């Protein structure tokens, strides 16, 4: 299987139409797809174990997407085989009163993973260039100044050994409708539904514009964005897990050398 996600390097590559959310042609199906996912999970499990032992890097995985785009499912399924000791998940909700009294990155910085760990952000500082813009919560000059602030912040993290990958889970209108309908009707899913989700859905075009600009302005060499076609959950899991595993692979992680001071020690 050759298909892999490419980091966004120009605005031209940002395709967020309904057709772009479907399963890409050359992603395998059926048993072959299941096998490919299992393979990536195994890779991720091994790589995370070396990441922890190696100790030089932290990894930050940012997940963004509309309601029901599959952020929770991606956390659950992509990281299923990874040692929980090596992971931290943070779900960012609407800011609290105290959070609103600080700069928008204050709550974010506190949750950046330390070295050895994979930190997963379920929503992130990108909400702060999306929601306030679409909902007109703050003036344009406030949210539009944040792109540069985000780029500088992420660059500082990168220089300090945080490897950043950002995924936009892209669903189509029809798929979101289907998933929101399930949330309305299924007791196990109903708790996830907020009436506000429908208001957000009604603002589909405005959200698309906001995501498009955030991705265009903030896909950098040090913190690239990947757009994930997310209508098909298995394809999504394969593409996300493979991308993370490939980036970890490129770090050339290794177990530290044997400790010379311990040489010759006998255990009775
Ligand atoms: P959920 O992820 O579905 O549990 O919902 C969390 C809600 O919090 C979503 O509607 C987000 O848009 C909202 N949210 C998260 N971060 C922010 C933010 N910085 N500003 C405004 N709304 C936010
Ligand atoms: Mg929600």
């Amino acid at each position: 299987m050759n298909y892999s996600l490419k980091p966004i390097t120009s605005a031209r590559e940002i395709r967020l139409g309904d057709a772009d959310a479907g399963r890409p042609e050359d992603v395998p199906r059926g048993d072959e797809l299941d096998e490919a996912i299992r393979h990536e999970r195994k890779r991720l499990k091994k790589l995370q174990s070396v990441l922890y032992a190696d100790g030089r890097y932290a990894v930050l995985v940012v997940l963004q997407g509309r309601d029901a785009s599959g952020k929770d499912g991606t956390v659950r399924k992509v990281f299923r085989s990874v040692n929980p000791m090596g992971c931290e998940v943070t779900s960012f909700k609407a800011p609290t009163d105290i959070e609103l009294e600080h700069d928008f990155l204050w709550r974010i910085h506190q949750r950046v993973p330390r070295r050895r760990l994979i930190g997963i952000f379920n929503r992130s500082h990108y909400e702060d260039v999306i929601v306030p813009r679409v909902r007109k919560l703050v003036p344009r000059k406030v949210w539009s100044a944040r792109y540069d602030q985000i780029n500088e912040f992420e660059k500082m993290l990168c220089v300090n050994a945080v490897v950043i990958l950002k995924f936009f889970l892209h669903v189509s209108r029809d798929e979101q409708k289907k998933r929101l309908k399930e949330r309305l009707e299924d007791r196990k899913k109903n708790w996830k539904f907020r009436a506000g989700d429908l208001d957000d859905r009604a603002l589909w075009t405005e959200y698309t514009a906001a995501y498009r600009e955030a991705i265009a302005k903030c896909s950098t060499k040090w913190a690239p964005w990947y757009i994930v076609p997310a209508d098909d959950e298995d394809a999504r899991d394969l593409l996300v897990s493979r991308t993370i595993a490939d980036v970890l692979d490129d770090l050339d992680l290794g177990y530290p050398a044997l400790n010379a001071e311990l040489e010759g020690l006998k255990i009775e």
Side-chain angles (χ1 to χ4, degrees), residues 167-224:
F167 295 98
F168 178 69
L169 306 184
H170 174 49
V171 282
S172 64
R173 275 172 230 241
D174 281 354
E175 183 62 25
Q176 192 203 40
K177 184 176 187 178
K178 193 180 121 214
R179 292 182 191 177
L180 288 178
K181 208 156 166 279
E182 276 168 19
R183 287 188 179 182
L184 270 180
E185 291 161 5
D186 179 345
R187 201 160 75 104
K188 289 195 189 137
K189 298 185 177 173
N190 190 257
W191 62 274
K192 284 198 182 193
F193 194 93
R194 289 176 314 120
D197 294 353
L198 294 182
D199 303 331
D200 285 342
R201 180 169 163 81
L203 292 165
W204 189 277
T205 319
E206 289 80 356
Y207 272 101
T208 305
Y211 284 122
R212 182 185 298 285
E213 189 168 359
I215 295 169
K217 292 253 163 75
C218 300
S219 195
T220 54
K221 277 202 201 78
W222 57 89

Side-chain angles (χ1 to χ4, degrees), residues 55 59 63 95 124 134 161 188 240 256:
V59 174
L63 299 176
S124 67
V134 174
K188 289 195 189 137
V240 172

Side-chain angles (χ1 to χ4, degrees), residues 132-143:
R133 167 183 175 152
V134 174
R135 297 252 172 218
K136 301 189 167 47
L137 303 178
V138 299
R140 167 180 281 268
K141 73 172 193 309
V142 173
W143 59 256

Side-chain angles (χ1 to χ4, degrees), residues 67 92-95 107 123 127-128 131-132 194 200:
D67 286 302
F92 290 98
K93 306 293 178 183
R107 66 173 184 165
R123 302 188 189 271
E127 293 290 320
D128 296 285
V131 184
R194 289 176 314 120
D200 285 342

